[in-house]
Amino acid sequence: MSRGPSTTRIALIYPELLGTYGDGGNAIVLARRLRWRGLRGEIVNVPAGAPVPDGCDIYLLGGGEDAPQVLAADGIRQNRAIARAVSGGAAVLAVCAGYQVIGESFPSGGEIHPGLHLVDIETRRSFAPPQTPPPARAVGDIVVEPDPRLALPTLYGYENHAGRTRRLPGAGGFPLGTVRRGIGDGDAGTDGIIDGRVVGTYLHGPVLAQNPALADMLLGWVHGSLPPLDGPPETTALREARRRALAAS
Amino acid sequence: MTTSLPRRFTARTQAALAVERLAAEASRRLGRGSGEMIGGKLALRVAPGMLAEVAAQRRSACVSATNGKTTTTRLLARALGTLGPVASNSGGANMAPGVLAALSKPPFDAVAALEVDEIWLPPVAREVLPRVVVLLNISRDQLDRSNETRRIAAMWRELGGELPGTTVVANVDDPLVAWAAAGWSRQVWVSAGQNWTADAMVCPQCARLLHRNDNGWWSECGLARPEPIVAVTGPSELLWYGRTITARLDLPGRVNLGNAAMAAAAAREFGVDVEAALAAMTGLGDVQGRYQEVVLGERGRRGRLLLAKNPAGWVEMMELLGDAPPRPVVIDFNSQTADGRDPSWIWDVPFERLGGRQVLVTGERKEDMSVRLAYAEVPHSVHASAEDAALAANEKVVDVVANYTAFRDLLVRSSR
Ligand SMILES: [Zn+2]
């Protein structure tokens, strides 16, 4: 693959398995935001079953159903490409099922499966005492106030998951933000994680389409000096519409 | 009308039928739609077992799918109409009350062509005991409901075991459907096509990745595309039990030819020959307003109404828009409960293909659609209503692609 020195490579991991909720849109957003700045971006589509390539700059994992989630985790584990890339400075954005997969372990089909150990989180159907009924599926609009260290505006998204996620004792990094509306991780009132350049979240939308500042944060990590980019104006209109709709309901 | 009820109906069912008629009548008078839902609901409350009773003397077909069930049911009803009167829930009410309303009208021995919601198919079919079940496709729809596609396929597969006398007419191009139908006692395999494969990448039987090539799909566990006896082989051509026949429909697009092939294969099980079936199907130009041209607003603008409520449906519409002269396209997009609250599926639709057309956007989630189009680099404008959009279009006739509630509201407004 020919690759100029300034081409940012965006790996879309197993979209057939981890693409149930339009999260492939995150790759489109990143590539366009590079192009609109006059920079070069390339989407590397990694079909399920193919080895995860080394040497990409951003790895994207999306949401998916139970059986495909396990299949994806097993596939990604075949080589340690993502872990190697992360230690070499690559960024990861993992959404929903992908978020669960990058942790220590996650539930599927009544069993607990090992994750990719990229971040110190674990996911279960419930963390409540055994006799308590499991919590309802978290489905609906979600609004997250990002950790102030990130200097990001409010995050808008849509969540749809049965799992509850928590940080392990002594975990690295910090939660992406505080949930203002919706469920997110669950009991802790937070959503997601940022540890180094690995970002996990329950926000679909796709999250980068609704929150371009988050997209630019990822791009800035891997691209160093990122020229400013306003808009597009359509996103500003969308965020304003979401703000109004969610304030009214 | 009670005199026309067969004697064997229980007193409870007779009472329920009266309730159903009264409620439906009242609802119609109040202008609340066809009244099928409310009447059926009340009747089921009075006599929960009555669905089986009103179906008992009929030969029925149930049609289910994520996309195309309404159209296929209408096509099947026309084909069965060559035999005599047909009961059908042509109003689109496709859960138990709607099916009940269709079957609660005399004559009680008329054949029935029933559209049934995917989730409702097992409970309805267990009561109706259809002669034929038509299964078209399963894809993602209404993401927020989290009805996993495989779970629906598994429900259908289980149902087959409970209906030993039923023939399933199934689309071999959808692996989920083929797997669901494999467990039934008798199959008629039809290749109706599938231009959306993203929801059928994993083998429903063994959870390994499916292999695909131009000839079909297969899995390492042995599950593979069955050999079809009926197939869409060209824009107006079918393979039909070993011979090639021409089929011309008034409904546009290859997807509707696939629907017609499924309907004709089902009608054959009732004794309708294919030429008669196809002849009866021509003349159907719109289905509940779909493909119909309506007036948009006061200024004489017109729009052809197209329904696209999920990625698979949008890809079908793209193909259909490709057939027509490139008119301006109005996209009317909502996310009410009936549409699915989560609109993120629009990122799976290749909107880049609309490049070169005038695109106008409206609906309750017009801003979401506008962002999607911005990233697809499709220039577009945003409008307060479909009527406003049509007025801003460069031509007097536009194509309007709407999802469920947007489409319904357009139909209501344009028929005033
Ligand atoms: Zn298999």
Side-chain angles (χ1 to χ4, degrees), chain B residues 203 205-206 219-221 223:
Chain B
C203 176
Q205 185 157 284
C206 70
S219 166
E220 278 147 47
C221 69
L223 187 70

Coordinates of all heavy atoms in Angstrom, one line a residue, chain B residues 203 205-206 219-221 223, ligand 1:
Chain B
C203 N -23.0 -16.8 10.1 CA -23.9 -17.9 9.9 C -24.9 -18.0 11.1 O -24.4 -18.1 12.2 CB -23.1 -19.2 9.8 SG -24.1 -20.7 9.7
Q205 N -26.4 -20.5 12.0 CA -26.4 -21.8 12.6 C -25.2 -22.0 13.5 O -25.3 -22.6 14.5 CB -26.4 -22.9 11.4 CG -26.5 -24.3 11.9 CD -27.0 -25.2 10.8 OE1 -28.2 -25.2 10.5 NE2 -26.1 -25.9 10.1
C206 N -24.0 -21.6 13.0 CA -22.8 -21.9 13.7 C -22.0 -20.6 14.2 O -21.0 -20.7 14.8 CB -21.8 -22.8 12.9 SG -21.1 -22.0 11.5
S219 N -21.6 -21.8 4.5 CA -20.9 -21.8 5.7 C -20.2 -23.1 5.9 O -20.6 -24.1 5.3 CB -22.0 -21.6 6.9 OG -21.3 -21.9 8.1
E220 N -19.2 -23.0 6.8 CA -18.4 -24.2 7.0 C -19.2 -25.3 7.7 O -18.8 -26.5 7.6 CB -17.1 -23.9 7.8 CG -16.0 -23.3 7.0 CD -15.2 -22.3 7.7 OE1 -14.8 -22.5 8.9 OE2 -14.9 -21.2 7.1
C221 N -20.3 -25.0 8.3 CA -21.1 -26.0 9.0 C -21.9 -26.8 8.0 O -22.6 -27.7 8.4 CB -21.9 -25.3 10.1 SG -23.2 -24.3 9.4
L223 N -24.4 -25.3 6.1 CA -25.5 -24.4 5.7 C -25.1 -23.7 4.4 O -24.0 -23.1 4.3 CB -25.9 -23.4 6.8 CG -27.2 -22.6 6.5 CD1 -28.4 -23.5 6.6 CD2 -27.3 -21.4 7.5
Ligands
ZN1 ZN -22.6 -22.2 9.8

